[in-house]
């Protein structure tokens, strides 16, 4: 079967699948198509027409689900953030067997960071995409404030995710934070951003785990 024919058959199959989806399922399907495209060609190069073609639906379906590309990109960054949140929640036993005290808090935070890191390490292209969505939003935001909102939404959501993890760790170990969780989450996210970006450059996973040890220790130092 020729490449062109294979592609045509795949589009028909995708269209048939899409026709059976609910609105929420169709939105998720389009977001995943957008992520796949953005991983290959960058956020700036993705159009709603590209997404429609990749998902095997009409352009009208995309605009029915998302008002415009900015709305789609906003949901894209949320989806990427949810993947990290889900990776930390994946092993509930980590939280249930935490113990108590500062050492237990440090170990629990480190275990949570490890779960997050395993997801990051397995998806380097998606991690690069998170930085691209931020720079895309900042670069375009000067002319279009709605694009700047994409970056702010991304970081607000990630701040909330990290704050939830910190609160979960606090409760699981009977600890108390001496610093507002909003500040701790902002600090944690900033450090993780830097760690991941450096890893994308040098691919030194061993060094990453040392940095995560230091981060867990630093965070635990702000708790009683």
């Amino acid at each position: 079967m020729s490449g062109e024919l294979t592609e045509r058959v795949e589009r028909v199959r995708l269209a048939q699948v899409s026709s059976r989806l609910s609105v929420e399922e169709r939105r998720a399907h389009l977001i995943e198509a957008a992520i796949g495209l953005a991983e290959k060609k960058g956020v700036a190069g993705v159009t709603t027409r590209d997404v429609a073609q990749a998902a095997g639906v009409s352009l009208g379906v995309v605009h029915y689900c998302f008002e415009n590309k900015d709305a789609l990109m906003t949901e894209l960054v949320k989806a990427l953030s949810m993947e990290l949140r889900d990776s930390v929640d994946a092993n509930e036993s980590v939280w249930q067997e935490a113990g108590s005290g500062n050492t237990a808090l440090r170990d629990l935070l480190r275990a949570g960071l490890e779960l997050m890191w395993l997801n990051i390490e397995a998806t380097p292209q998606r991690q690069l995409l998170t930085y691209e969505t931020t720079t895309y939003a900042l670069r375009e935001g000067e002319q279009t404030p709605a694009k700047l909102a994409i970056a702010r939404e991304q970081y607000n959501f990630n701040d909330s995710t990290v704050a939830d993890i910190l609160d979960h760790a606090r409760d699981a170990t009977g600890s108390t934070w001496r610093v507002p969780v909003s500040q701790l989450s902002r600090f944690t996210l900033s450090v993780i951003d830097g760690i991941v970006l450096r890893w994308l450059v040098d691919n030194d996973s061993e060094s990453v785990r040392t940095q995560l040890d230091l981060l867990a220790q630093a965070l635990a130092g702000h708790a009683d």
Side-chain angles (χ1 to χ4, degrees):
M1 187 181 293
S2 70
E4 185 178 343
L5 180 56
T6 301
E7 185 177 346
R8 208 159 44 230
V9 170
E10 179 65 8
R11 286 180 193 169
V12 171
R13 186 189 69 80
L14 289 170
Q16 290 172 338
V17 170
S18 180
S19 67
R20 297 192 296 268
L21 301 179
S22 68
V23 173
E24 285 308 308
E25 289 172 331
R26 185 174 286 115
R27 282 168 61 87
H29 179 59
L30 292 171
I31 290 167
E32 191 60 34
I35 290 173
L37 286 170
E39 285 179 335
K40 294 175 183 176
K41 57 195 299 186
V43 176
V46 175
T47 67
T48 53
R49 189 175 298 277
D50 291 335
V51 174
Q53 184 174 6
V57 299
S58 69
L59 183 59
V61 169
V62 178
H63 287 296
Y64 174 77
C65 294
F66 301 98
E67 181 180 356
N68 50 37
K69 177 181 172 177
D70 292 340
L72 175 57
M73 290 300 110
T74 298
E75 294 305 312
L76 180 151
V77 299
K78 284 183 183 178
L80 294 175
S81 298
M82 279 300 298
E83 286 184 359
L84 284 184
R85 172 177 285 195
D86 290 345
S87 69
V88 178
D89 292 338
N91 190 346
E92 189 62 29
S93 65
V94 170
W95 305 99
Q96 294 172 346
E97 303 166 3
S100 60
N102 193 266
T103 299
L105 175 63
R106 182 201 64 202
D107 292 346
L108 180 57
L109 290 169
R110 182 62 186 84
L113 289 169
E114 182 66 20
L115 290 174
M116 184 181 294
W117 172 247
L118 290 174
N119 175 275
I120 291 170
E121 191 174 34
T123 56
Q125 290 304 314
R126 294 208 173 197
Q127 306 317 312
L128 180 59
L129 182 55
T130 64
Y131 294 100
E132 289 183 350
T133 55
T134 303
T135 54
Y136 163 78
L138 293 174
R139 192 178 298 278
E140 301 291 328
E142 207 170 299
Q143 289 78 31
T144 313
K147 287 185 172 60
L148 182 58
I150 296 172
R152 289 176 175 166
E153 182 75 21
Q154 179 182 13
Y155 273 87
N156 286 339
F157 190 90
N158 287 342
D159 274 337
S160 175
T161 293
V162 174
D164 286 347
I165 293 169
L166 293 173
D167 280 339
H168 200 168
R170 176 201 62 196
D171 295 342
T173 57
S175 304
T176 303
W177 293 116
R178 296 197 304 269
V179 178
V181 171
S182 60
Q183 293 300 317
L184 282 178
S185 65
R186 193 181 182 100
F187 164 73
T188 303
L189 188 57
S190 297
V191 173
I192 291 172
D193 266 355
I195 289 173
V196 175
L197 185 58
R198 178 63 183 268
W199 172 75
L200 288 170
V201 172
D202 61 24
N203 196 32
D204 188 347
S205 294
E206 183 178 350
S207 180
V208 166
R209 287 187 162 85
T210 300
Q211 302 307 307
L212 294 180
D213 290 342
L214 293 173
L215 176 56
Q217 184 174 355
L219 289 170
H222 293 292
D224 295 317

